[in-house]
Amino acid sequence: MEIIRNADGTLVVPVEPPRQAETDEDSPAVEPGGDPPPAGAEPTSRVLHPGEGGYDEALAEWDRQQNPDRAPVVSTATGRQEAMALVHAVATSPDHAVAAAVAAMGDPELIGESLRHVLVGGVHSVEDFAAETAAAEGGDPLPAHQATKIIGEVLAELD
């Protein structure tokens, strides 16, 4: 099962069922007069919201699934500066206009690579990127979950 990115930024990720050897002692509990739980009753997917544990990693994996043949991500100084300007523009836009902000930017490939590089680094990388963006563009740093959501929206628009 692949990771699915919803329009609201949430990700539907596969969940592997817990592995356990079933013996008589370990068999599922059955209430008196009740039926045993159906086989496969464990959930097969989970919805992750921006800011939840594992979201950044799942978003990076979703992005890799979109283009599995892409080379490893590399961030350049120019790409990072443009990425910071883009994330700041989207964050401060009254209508959260991702498409318009992306269209107004310079090199989409450099921006995408820089944003992918941020995601690969995990939550601390996103926090550092948000702080660096605030220092470069002005204002307060975005919370990591908000920065991650914007990065995901930008990458979806670029793809």
Side-chain angles (χ1 to χ4, degrees), residues 81-130:
Q81 288 171 344
E82 288 191 31
M84 288 188 296
L86 176 60
V87 168
H88 179 74
V90 172
T92 58
S93 168
D95 59 351
H96 199 74
V98 176
V102 168
M105 293 280 72
D107 188 338
E109 187 174 330
L110 285 178
I111 293 169
E113 288 297 299
S114 293
L115 293 175
R116 288 179 183 95
H117 191 264
V118 169
L119 288 180
V120 168
V123 69
H124 295 298
S125 178
V126 173
E127 291 169 343
D128 292 344
F129 178 79

Side-chain angles (χ1 to χ4, degrees), residues 32-68:
D35 295 324
E42 294 291 325
T44 58
S45 64
R46 176 172 181 231
V47 176
L48 289 177
H49 295 83
E52 281 189 81
Y55 181 88
D56 293 347
E57 294 81 1
L59 185 59
E61 180 59 30
W62 169 82
D63 186 59
R64 275 190 293 274
Q65 288 176 359
Q66 303 310 299
N67 296 294

Side-chain angles (χ1 to χ4, degrees), residues 88 91-92 129-143:
H88 179 74
T92 58
F129 178 79
E132 191 177 340
T133 299
E137 302 292 329
D140 293 328
L142 293 172

